[in-house]
Amino acid sequence: MARTAGSHSDITGPRVLDAALRLFARHGYAAVSMRQIAKEVGVQAGALYNYTPDKQSLLFDLMRRHMDDLLASRAKRRRTGSALEKLEDFTRFHIRYHLDRSDEVFIAYMELRNLTPENFAEIEALRREYENELEAILRQGEEEGVFAPADTRIETMAVIAMLTGVTTWYRVEGRLSADEVERIYWDMVRKAVSV
Amino acid sequence: MARTAGSHSDITGPRVLDAALRLFARHGYAAVSMRQIAKEVGVQAGALYNYTPDKQSLLFDLMRRHMDDLLASRAKRRRTGSALEKLEDFTRFHIRYHLDRSDEVFIAYMELRNLTPENFAEIEALRREYENELEAILRQGEEEGVFAPADTRIETMAVIAMLTGVTTWYRVEGRLSADEVERIYWDMVRKAVSV
DNA sequence: AATTTAACTGAACATTCGTTCAAATCAAAG
DNA sequence: CTTTGATTTGAACGAATGTTCAGTTAAATT
């Protein structure tokens, strides 16, 4: 065969996902057309179908990648230590990760209802897996007696909601550095779950 | 004139907004067509335009009503007392209100980007007004010395994000009553901002 | 230089979109 | 019962939607 795999495809391919990511985050999945994505890439709409079977797959791929990357990044972090240490690690990781990938996070939380039922189930399972990591830490803390006895499932949801909310107001050019934000949120989380 | 103002209009009118509310909450503004709304009401699409100038106004009216109602409901609550009392009141109010109006709340947080710039500015101002109520309480608490000195603006955003997150998992037929949820969240909020 | 084929264009497809409007319908007033 | 006008229908509008595909372009192999 002439021409090795992808001469432009290894350039255009990623750009398609990049453009879809940015546009979906800005205007929402349903409000973005394939022609808008194509224009952003600098190509005609038909060419997109060399890189995705359909629009839905574009959304699903972005979410799937995000969740895989989130779980993989999390897995690299320390696993041992006290519940308090683990919670601080989780908190700082979550804040930093979400600040660094605001578009991906935004889509992952806003566009769930635009997934087909099967795709939704798959993403939801990954999200649940991530939440379970936090819940395990909270339970360990209860057993150690450093965290207040409480409904750990609700605590989990409350903490994650609080932390993820940082993406709605944080701006890199703003008043606070990511380090300061990490510290402020860690302060609140620690107190919220402690005895 | 024959026929006093609205013989069906006082029935159909509210039903249009009701249907739009439910459908927007379930599938998102951009994914819902005027024909879907009309079908839900039991009417042809053209008839909707007796009750709204266009689709955008439907979304804006829902948001505007929601924010007005939120601020009015909040204004009815107690204004005096210690910062701790006020914070408990705010927390319980917010949780209860958001559990009771999950569709409205969902739209108000998810569909902001589908508002025209002018409409967005108006809704955003009302939201800011609501946030400022909480921030004032947190500042009073700092002055009283019962709340830890902190960045009250970020604390505000963090607390509201945490509380509003309740809508993502709470189900009326679920394990916990609204009262229990109120108490659990109040526990976390109190500890999170206290010294 | 000739050949091969991946990458892309540009037009077309059947639907669906928000919106308009003349005509039909129908409940209340005279 | 007739009149009146609010209410709704049903068809139509141009534009936009996701997707397909025959044909063109151009890069890499022979």
Side-chain angles (χ1 to χ4, degrees), chain A residues 2-3 6-9 12 35 43-44 47 51:
Chain A
R3 193 183 235 178
S7 55
H8 284 178
S9 75
T12 307
R35 284 171 181 83
V43 103
Q44 292 296 318
Y51 306 99

Side-chain angles (χ1 to χ4, degrees), chain A residues 8-25:
Chain A
H8 284 178
S9 75
D10 50 356
I11 302 175
T12 307
R15 289 192 59 191
V16 170
L17 277 181
D18 266 16
L21 172 69
R22 195 166 44 252
L23 288 172
F24 287 168

Side-chain angles (χ1 to χ4, degrees), chain A residues 15-16 18-46 48-49 55 58, chain B residues 30 114:
Chain A
R15 289 192 59 191
V16 170
D18 266 16
L21 172 69
R22 195 166 44 252
L23 288 172
F24 287 168
R26 189 117 53 226
H27 306 109
Y29 172 78
V32 172
S33 72
M34 294 299 270
R35 284 171 181 83
Q36 285 177 58
I37 298 172
K39 183 172 229 176
E40 189 92 351
V41 176
V43 103
Q44 292 296 318
L48 298 182
Y49 291 84
K55 191 187 176 191
L58 231 36
Chain B
N114 285 312

Side-chain angles (χ1 to χ4, degrees), chain B residues 2-3 6 9 12 44 50-51:
Chain B
R3 195 182 236 179
S9 76
T12 306
Q44 291 297 316
N50 291 322
Y51 306 100

